[in-house]
Amino acid sequence: MSLIQTKETLRSRLILLLILVAGLALRLHNLDRYSIFFDEVSTLLVSQGIVLEGANQKEAFASRELSDSRFWTTPAFPQQQVLRTFTANEIYTPKAFTPAEFWAPKSIQDYYEAMTRSDIGNSPFYYALLHPWIDIFGFSDFSIRFFSVIFSVLIIGLTYLFAKRFFGVNTALIAAGITAIEPFFIAYSHQARNYSLTFFLTLAATYFFLQIIEDKPGKGNKLWLYVGYVFTAGLGLLSHFLVIAVLLAHALYALFFLRTIKGWVRMAIAAVFTLSGVTWWLLFGGGVYTLSSLQHQAERYRYQAETGGKVFGDILPATPLNVFNKSLPIFTDLIIFTNGLTDALGGKKNVAVALLAALILIVWYRFKDKINTPAWLTPRFPYLLIIIAGLFYNNHKLQFSILSVSLFALSFIPDLHKNTTREHRARLLLLYIMALVPTLFLILMSFKNGHTYGIMQRYSGFSFPYVIILLSLLLQYYATLKHEFLVLIFVFLAAQLYFVGLRLKEFYEDRSPKYGYFAVPRVPNPYWEAAQKIKASYQPGDTIFYPAPRYEVLSEMDRTFLPYSIHDAQITNLYFPKDAQYVQVMDMDQSQRIWIKKQGQAEPLEIMKLTGKRYGFE
């Protein structure tokens, strides 16, 4: 491999600018077209110090009484008896409430409780940033998701800087381009969740880490590298606990390449500072119940896996076959060459033929010079092989062909590794480790916990930038191949980009369970629409009624303190003025409609029917 060129030109900067603009446009497209869902609702409420289902809003939604009577009546429900809820020695009965009561000032303990009950104490740094962002830009779906868009675009820029620093400008531009169109990054930029921020912080931490490892004596004070690492890695842990998998990958790499006592002492000190924030959080902050909550989750998911329940979707026992089937798409979707192929392709015979064709291609390339074949056949053999294999597929012929060629293309990783300098081999090893360790960590935890629930792409998404850089190096290496192999690879990779585009199209249409979680497109945010209708029609003396679906209280750690859900009321109140005095009550007689009882009118005014619109709650 030639010497790495890290000097930028006006041309390279213009190309980067175009990539960033394109990446931003892809992330802004349809950003607020579809409603928020369960995870985003949790994000919004927690960012305001509110527990989903109101465990720290008892004074707003209910009153305390010391009465032996188990039932109550109210003018709003003159013929109705409502079951009271007992918490410890307190009795709570529903009452009318207003947005002003909903928005009562919150203490730091309220924020801790919100994170503990609604997000197992995870992501305090993300919420600390999101809260002032919402104060400035509001609760609209666009604004809360745009916060994620910012960090997703920054990931494109940081991938460029990382690749330029360690692998050259050309690699950096290709890597930035792939990052810009990567469906995974685009999808999670459309969620008001911590993922884009966390991926950015871990990539920044690795950027500092590798410079620390490669630092040579006598090159000056590198304290800023350690400070940068401590802040990015430490804040990464406070954005998502699974960043620990990235730090384990760093530790593994250090075992190979950190060879001085002074270096180990410095990294040990940096590790102490890095872990200090999350340690304080788990011992004294809002994460004091995190470990017990994680243990409770693991036991509940394991029970569901063993009994075949589907409360949280399909959760399977952690057998080797189940773990393999769950993790295989995680690995293949990391690579844009093979993105989505495990989901689209089926049939044992088809897969066997595709794998055999890939194996023959690999063997032919390695040994073609030792095989006596006619001169006319040698350059045409790869194409004939793919065509002949295609005759055996009974579906998805082009995609099975892409699978064969993609496996052949990936077989050049050892050549890439061999044909470079010792320093660059060390950097390649970091890419391999960062590509594999996060998913291997999920697999290990799956076997430990006895279920497959945690094997998800978003939990190992830290790996994407490093795989993308590796692919960028491979794309340049293919230019050294003979014409027949070069054309074969790039033609089928171009075809694969077409299918990646189709997956993006499905995502933009909200028909992608893989990236958007929903197969049927969502409507625009029904709660925002309901709030606007209420603000336009409410008059003093009116009463707003919210549906009250039944809710089973299972333990003291549950989010609720009432036997029915109040989340419809909570979400709608997010979009009201904080000092509004709208009179609101929970309607125990139904579970689907928001409506207003207008003063002096017998007929109710229906605001919103929520059937099928509570995404993730139903």
Side-chain angles (χ1 to χ4, degrees):
M1 184 179 293
S2 60
L3 288 175
I4 286 177
Q5 174 57 259
T6 60
K7 186 177 181 180
E8 294 177 308
T9 62
L10 177 60
R11 176 176 173 272
S12 66
R13 289 172 179 168
L14 289 175
I15 292 173
L16 175 62
L17 179 61
L18 290 174
I19 290 171
L20 292 171
V21 170
L24 177 62
L26 288 170
R27 285 152 178 78
L28 290 179
H29 183 60
N30 283 357
L31 183 63
D32 61 346
R33 182 173 179 178
Y34 305 108
S35 174
I36 57 175
F37 66 104
F38 180 90
D39 288 359
E40 292 180 302
V41 169
S42 297
T43 293
L44 288 183
L45 292 172
V46 172
S47 72
Q48 305 306 304
I50 298 170
V51 176
L52 178 64
E53 300 296 357
N56 68 339
Q57 289 188 306
K58 296 171 183 176
E59 291 76 11
F61 287 92
S63 58
R64 301 177 186 178
E65 294 184 13
L66 298 175
S67 171
D68 292 333
S69 172
R70 290 294 302 273
F71 297 93
W72 73 303
T73 60
T74 174
F77 307 96
Q79 305 300 322
Q80 185 180 39
Q81 290 185 321
V82 182
L83 183 64
R84 298 165 181 244
T85 295
F86 291 76
T87 302
N89 296 322
E90 299 173 331
I91 304 172
Y92 290 95
T93 53
K95 71 176 185 67
F97 57 93
T98 66
E101 291 175 300
F102 174 87
W103 284 110
K106 301 295 185 293
S107 68
I108 190 63
Q109 292 303 321
D110 284 311
Y111 286 91
Y112 287 175
E113 185 175 3
M115 279 180 265
T116 297
R117 291 182 184 269
S118 299
D119 210 352
I120 64 169
N122 203 7
S123 312
F125 180 61
Y126 171 72
Y127 291 122
L129 294 180
L130 185 63
H131 180 90
W133 174 271
I134 290 174
D135 283 347
I136 297 170
F137 298 105
F139 280 97
S140 73
D141 292 359
F142 185 92
S143 68
I144 62 172
R145 290 169 176 163
F146 188 71
F147 187 69
S148 296
V149 168
I150 291 173
F151 288 100
S152 188
V153 174
L154 287 175
I155 290 170
I156 301 173
L158 186 55
T159 300
Y160 171 83
L161 291 176
F162 188 104
K164 180 176 75 74
R165 169 67 175 76
F166 298 110
F167 298 101
V169 172
N170 291 337
T171 302
L173 289 172
I174 298 170
I178 296 175
T179 304
I181 65 171
E182 170 54 52
F184 176 83
F185 285 131
I186 294 172
Y188 283 94
S189 72
H190 277 226
Q191 288 189 19
R193 295 293 284 168
N194 55 40
Y195 301 111
S196 291
L197 170 64
T198 306
F199 301 146
F200 171 78
L201 288 172
T202 55
L203 179 57
T206 307
Y207 182 63
F208 290 120
F209 169 78
L210 188 52
Q211 291 182 77
I212 289 170
I213 296 298
E214 293 189 352
D215 184 33
K216 294 179 174 58
K219 292 187 66 176
N221 184 10
K222 297 297 181 181
L223 177 62
W224 69 273
L225 293 176
Y226 289 94
V227 172
Y229 182 77
V230 167
F231 271 94
T232 52
L235 294 176
L237 281 169
L238 290 172
S239 298
H240 202 292
F241 293 140
L242 280 176
V243 169
I244 192 66
V246 174
L247 303 189
L248 289 174
H250 291 172
L252 179 61
Y253 187 79
L255 287 175
F256 287 104
F257 297 104
L258 189 58
R259 296 191 176 93
T260 67
I261 299 297
K262 182 184 291 186
W264 275 106
V265 170
R266 289 176 175 174
M267 281 305 300
I269 294 172
V272 169
F273 281 105
T274 297
L275 296 172
S276 61
V278 73
T279 301
W280 175 87
W281 179 253
L282 292 173
L283 293 178
F284 308 106
V288 291
Y289 296 106
T290 293
L291 297 180
S292 59
S293 296
L294 288 172
Q295 181 62 31
H296 173 74
Q297 276 189 355
E299 292 172 356
R300 193 171 183 184
Y301 293 154
R302 182 167 59 246
Y303 174 79
Q304 182 179 335
E306 292 170 351
T307 58
K310 291 190 177 183
V311 178
F312 304 100
D314 291 325
I315 301 178
L316 302 173
T319 64
L321 180 59
N322 287 338
V323 171
F324 174 80
N325 288 334
K326 287 280 285 187
S327 58
L328 181 61
I330 307 299
F331 283 115
T332 57
D333 287 354
L334 280 171
I335 303 169
I336 204 165
F337 298 174
T338 55
N339 178 286
L341 291 182
T342 55
D343 299 326
L345 305 182
K348 293 181 180 178
K349 185 200 76 172
N350 294 335
V351 172
V353 171
L355 294 177
L356 179 61
L359 180 62
I360 293 174
L361 266 178
I362 294 169
V363 172
W364 171 261
Y365 176 81
R366 302 296 172 182
F367 298 100
K368 62 184 183 301
D369 295 336
K370 299 180 180 179
I371 301 174
N372 188 17
T373 56
W376 66 268
L377 177 61
T378 301
R380 296 176 175 84
F381 179 81
Y383 309 108
L384 291 173
L385 175 64
I386 295 300
I387 293 171
I388 293 171
L391 300 176
F392 290 91
Y393 305 135
N394 52 29
N395 60 64
H396 297 93
K397 293 179 181 291
L398 179 56
Q399 286 178 281
F400 275 111
S401 299
I402 291 171
L403 175 61
S404 298
V405 175
S406 294
L407 294 175
F408 171 65
L410 293 173
S411 72
F412 289 97
I413 292 176
D415 302 86
L416 182 70
H417 194 90
K418 181 176 65 176
N419 295 317
T420 189
T421 65
R422 181 177 180 180
E423 180 184 43
H424 297 154
R425 289 193 198 108
R427 294 171 178 175
L428 287 173
L429 182 60
L430 177 72
L431 300 184
Y432 308 149
I433 290 174
M434 297 303 299
L436 295 173
V437 167
T439 303
L440 293 177
F441 181 80
L442 296 181
I443 291 172
L444 177 65
M445 296 306 295
S446 177
F447 283 118
K448 175 182 179 296
N449 294 327
H451 61 80
T452 61
Y453 181 73
I455 304 178
M456 299 183 185
Q457 193 82 68
R458 65 179 182 266
Y459 293 152
S460 63
F462 315 108
S463 298
F464 272 96
Y466 314 101
V467 174
I468 286 170
I469 293 171
L470 181 60
L471 297 181
S472 302
L473 292 166
L474 278 173
L475 287 170
Q476 295 171 87
Y477 182 81
Y478 298 148
T480 66
L481 302 180
K482 289 188 176 180
H483 182 75
E484 61 265 29
F485 298 106
L486 173 66
V487 172
L488 179 74
I489 290 174
F490 278 101
V491 165
F492 280 93
L493 291 185
Q496 168 65 358
L497 287 180
Y498 165 76
F499 289 106
V500 171
L502 288 182
R503 292 178 196 109
L504 271 177
K505 181 175 181 290
E506 289 177 354
F507 170 73
Y508 287 135
E509 294 173 352
D510 207 35
R511 297 184 293 106
S512 174
K514 175 177 179 176
Y515 288 118
Y517 307 160
F518 300 97
V520 178
R522 291 165 287 171
V523 299
N525 189 333
Y527 298 101
W528 183 89
E529 181 181 346
Q532 307 318 306
K533 289 182 178 180
I534 291 171
K535 286 190 286 187
S537 60
Y538 184 86
Q539 296 294 329
D542 295 348
T543 303
I544 305 165
F545 288 76
Y546 293 99
R550 292 291 135 181
Y551 190 107
E552 184 180 3
V553 182
L554 299 175
S555 73
E556 284 295 317
M557 282 303 294
D558 269 9
R559 295 185 288 258
T560 190
F561 62 103
L562 294 166
Y564 54 82
S565 172
I566 61 171
H567 76 262
D568 293 323
Q570 286 184 302
I571 305 170
T572 308
N573 272 261
L574 288 174
Y575 305 110
F576 289 152
K578 294 185 178 182
D579 59 352
Q581 296 297 323
Y582 309 149
V583 177
Q584 307 170 91
V585 295
M586 304 303 299
D587 185 347
M588 311 300 168
D589 289 331
Q590 56 89 27
S591 61
Q592 298 299 332
R593 295 185 307 137
I594 302 175
W595 61 281
I596 297 179
K597 183 178 180 180
K598 300 292 289 183
Q599 187 177 36
Q601 296 182 16
E603 291 297 317
L605 173 62
E606 183 172 292
I607 296 296
M608 180 66 63
K609 191 171 184 178
L610 293 168
T611 305
K613 300 176 183 177
R614 296 183 178 104
Y615 302 106
F617 289 94
E618 294 179 315

